[in-house]
Amino acid sequence: MFKLTDVEPRGKYRLWLRYSDGSEGEVDLSDKAGKGVFHAWDDEPGFDSVRLGKHGEVVWGTEVDLCGDALYLKLTGKRPEEVFPALQQSGARA
């Protein structure tokens, strides 16, 4: 199983991510900006305060976090069944 190991803000609602399997690159989160809890990103210091949480999540303050697994899928373009074989074996759909 892979794990998120590094996260850095890159401006304009973009994050650079690195995972333990060697996958790395940028994801664009601008589609979330200004919506609901993501108003916390309304100023650049708010978005730039990103950090890696203790459970592999991406965190801003105490109100906003994103799942490292979901970001992995966004970064790599893989489907959940490719990353989590148990989903394919059980016939579950994500």
Side-chain angles (χ1 to χ4, degrees):
M1 188 64 187
F2 58 89
K3 181 177 178 180
L4 182 60
T5 60
D6 292 297
V7 60
E8 295 176 9
R10 293 287 168 100
K12 298 188 180 182
Y13 306 111
R14 299 182 69 79
L15 293 178
W16 176 84
L17 306 168
R18 178 183 296 142
Y19 287 84
S20 59
D21 71 346
S23 297
E24 64 179 70
E26 287 188 7
V27 293
D28 181 359
L29 301 176
S30 60
D31 61 320
K32 297 181 181 339
K35 299 175 184 170
V37 297
F38 300 106
H39 277 290
W41 299 348
D42 283 351
D43 60 9
E44 196 166 332
F47 186 79
D48 289 349
S49 70
V50 67
R51 69 184 193 288
L52 184 60
K54 64 182 177 179
H55 301 291
E57 73 277 26
V58 176
V59 178
W60 292 264
T62 60
E63 300 286 324
V64 181
D65 62 75
L66 293 173
C67 173
D69 294 346
L71 290 170
Y72 181 86
L73 296 175
K74 185 174 179 88
L75 174 69
T76 63
K78 292 182 180 180
R79 295 182 338 207
E81 296 82 8
E82 294 175 84
V83 177
F84 306 104
L87 290 176
Q88 189 171 21
Q89 293 170 357
S90 70
R93 302 224 180 234

